[in-house]
Amino acid sequence: MADRRTVLVIDDEEAIRDSCRQVLAKAGYDCHTAVDGIEGLHIAHQVEPDLILLDLMMPGIDGLEVLRQVMQTHPNTVCIVITGYATIESAVDAMKQGAFDFLPKPFTPQELRLIVTRGLEQRRLLLETAELRAEKERMKEYFITIVAHELRSPLLLVKQYLDLIVGGKMGTIDDMAREMLEGAHGTLTGLLGIIADWLKLARINSGDIAGAMEETELWPVLETVVEEMQPFAKDKNVSLRLDPPPESCVVNAHAESMVVVFKNLISNAIKYNREHGTVSLEGLCVDGNLRVQVRDTGIGIPEKELPFVFEDFFRVTSSQTADISGTGLGLSIVKKIVEGHHGTVEVQSTEGEGTVFDVQLPLLSCEEKMEEEDYD
Ligand code: ATP
Ligand code: MG
């Protein structure tokens, strides 16, 4: 029978093994037994059971250790621990380590059948969830391919044609046509910007950044970003300054992604600022973290909107933001990148006064740096 469910009983008491085997075989399950943890792990690798009934108190490696190893290698296998009333506390420990439930000794055949049925239902749900997750990953990959190749490439081609026409390379065009084509060019450029953001987001989700991180002195990276953003600040009559931290700040980071993070935060701090406002970046090393605060004197964010600012496509809609363009993806990209670096980003804001975005990244400690150098 192809989908006959497999149950493994690991218990050093022969009587328990025999009675479980009888009850479970009668209920139609394919039942295996093991006399201790070592044999249990061996059979678990061979038969990949749907469910394991596991005694906690066994000679040799105990049930908790078996559970830990099974959870590591077969996270979708459901484990139910068998325990005496005196060891209820260990049963609680086992549940914290991923056991689905516990069955106190002595138990009746009816209790055994019931708990196994519930455990197998849990197994079905776990497998279904794993399958849906895999499907979501496949769809994401498909989405990236479609957006990157089928949508972006032809749009880029159209933009190149428009570049030539608007740039006068194809001869003169009358003013009305020029105005329309420039409008089309602007719209297309905006659309390509959104697509670039989407792709960035999808790629961050696919975990590309983790593999590209290296020892990075962050402050020179920020100096370059601030330099590049100065023209935008001047355009809005906003002063932009960088206050470096007193000591050197080496973090494990992907420099290009850090540029994306701080460009987004500075761009927001400028965009949502007021005339003659200020934007400052302050660095601080605290508790093993590098903390960079991007502080502005802008319009602020209403308190009720604060929990949503890091969500995809979220934008505050108010008369003050109506004329400011954006897609609402900037901060969600920032959060994903920072979290991909094992850091955090938080926001505090007061309407009418300003906003502070607080990025914290784990500093590479001296020992870690030395270890890496030794390795080199
Ligand atoms: P883009 O994707 O182009 O960055 P965006 O700036 O609208 O578009 P986010 O950067 O994700 O999107 O910001 C989300 C929203 O949070 C913004 O629309 C704005 O309403 C609010 N916001 C973000 N930063 C600030 C800030 N420094 N001051 C005030 N409001 C802000
Ligand atoms: Mg933004």
Side-chain angles (χ1 to χ4, degrees):
M1 247 188 289
D3 55 357
R4 195 159 169 228
R5 303 302 202 92
T6 307
V7 179
L8 168 63
V9 183
I10 310 175
D11 199 311
D12 59 323
E13 265 184 68
E14 194 179 354
I16 298 268
R17 289 197 305 274
D18 286 348
S19 55
C20 285
R21 190 194 292 114
Q22 269 180 26
V23 173
L24 296 172
K26 208 166 155 199
Y29 301 118
D30 184 9
C31 186
H32 299 257
T33 58
V35 298
D36 58 24
I38 302 245
E39 193 190 8
L41 285 170
H42 182 68
I43 298 178
H45 287 310
Q46 275 184 335
V47 303
E48 306 214 336
D50 295 291
L51 185 143
I52 298 178
L53 283 159
L54 178 63
D55 185 16
L56 281 184
M57 307 281 273
M58 288 184 295
I61 56 171
D62 69 5
L64 276 182
E65 178 55 23
V66 176
L67 175 68
R68 201 187 57 75
Q69 292 196 30
V70 170
M71 287 291 103
Q72 235 171 32
T73 51
H74 299 89
N76 292 329
T77 297
V78 171
C79 291
I80 295 169
V81 295
I82 303 173
T83 169
Y85 275 112
T87 55
I88 285 289
E89 262 176 35
S90 333
V92 174
D93 281 349
M95 306 240 337
K96 282 188 194 150
Q97 283 202 31
F100 167 67
D101 206 346
F102 65 94
L103 181 63
K105 283 191 237 183
F107 48 84
T108 64
Q110 166 72 356
E111 283 165 341
L112 176 63
R113 276 193 298 268
L114 207 68
I115 203 163
V116 167
T117 309
R118 282 203 312 111
L120 288 172
E121 175 59 12
Q122 169 74 0
R123 161 86 169 164
R124 191 184 64 75
L125 293 174
L126 285 173
L127 291 180
E128 223 171 79
T129 310
E131 180 49 37
L132 286 173
R133 264 202 205 110
E135 177 67 19
K136 189 176 147 217
E137 272 314 301
R138 280 195 294 274
M139 281 174 69
K140 202 154 72 191
E141 288 300 316
Y142 181 65
F143 168 79
I144 295 174
T145 316
I146 293 284
V147 173
H149 301 291
E150 311 296 321
L151 205 61
R152 188 165 162 270
S153 309
L155 286 176
L156 267 177
L157 197 66
V158 176
K159 184 173 167 295
Q160 279 163 7
Y161 287 143
L162 286 179
D163 281 341
L164 290 176
I165 300 170
V166 174
K169 300 262 169 30
M170 307 306 292
T172 46
I173 43 172
D174 69 46
D175 287 349
M176 182 121 100
R178 165 176 298 281
E179 205 177 302
M180 284 177 164
L181 289 173
E182 277 175 354
H185 186 270
T187 310
L188 211 52
T189 307
L191 193 55
L192 282 163
I194 296 177
I195 291 174
D197 276 354
W198 267 352
L199 288 174
K200 233 179 268 162
L201 206 64
R203 291 205 172 111
I204 296 166
N205 288 337
S206 332
D208 283 359
I209 287 174
M213 298 208 291
E214 57 188 7
E215 201 176 294
T216 306
E217 177 79 63
L218 196 64
W219 226 250
V221 176
L222 294 193
E223 275 168 356
T224 316
V225 174
V226 166
E227 199 110 305
E228 280 179 31
M229 297 304 283
Q230 285 296 2
F232 299 98
K234 283 217 177 73
D235 214 38
K236 275 272 294 191
N237 274 325
V238 166
S239 94
L240 168 60
R241 68 158 215 271
L242 179 71
D243 295 335
E247 48 208 295
S248 104
C249 300
V250 181
V251 288
N252 194 22
H254 181 233
E256 248 175 71
S257 303
M258 285 295 121
V259 170
V260 173
V261 165
F262 289 98
K263 266 196 179 161
N264 268 301
L265 293 178
I266 297 171
S267 143
N268 283 348
I270 297 171
K271 269 203 301 191
Y272 303 104
N273 218 311
R274 60 176 164 76
E275 190 84 0
H276 302 297
T278 60
V279 175
S280 63
L281 268 77
E282 290 151 35
L284 212 67
C285 297
V286 265
D287 301 333
N289 281 330
L290 165 63
R291 190 166 174 187
V292 185
Q293 294 191 322
V294 182
R295 188 181 295 275
D296 69 58
T297 54
I299 58 173
I301 303 168
E303 203 183 335
K304 66 175 180 15
E305 313 274 25
L306 276 176
F308 308 107
V309 291
F310 293 104
E311 285 182 7
D312 295 356
F313 300 108
F314 178 83
R315 305 200 71 216
V316 175
T317 42
S318 71
S319 56
Q320 283 173 300
T321 57
D323 293 334
I324 304 173
S325 65
T327 56
L329 283 174
L331 287 178
S332 89
I333 291 175
V334 165
K335 190 169 161 69
K336 292 210 168 80
I337 293 178
V338 172
E339 288 179 352
H341 283 74
H342 312 292
T344 56
V345 51
E346 285 169 12
V347 57
Q348 282 171 17
S349 189
T350 309
E351 260 190 285
E353 287 185 20
T355 305
V356 186
F357 280 91
D358 192 336
V359 177
Q360 296 210 32
L361 297 164
L363 281 167
L364 265 188
S365 70
C366 292
E367 293 119 71
E368 275 169 301
K369 272 200 278 172
M370 268 154 54
E371 263 170 35
E372 277 182 19
E373 275 157 22
D374 284 352
Y375 189 73
D376 291 344

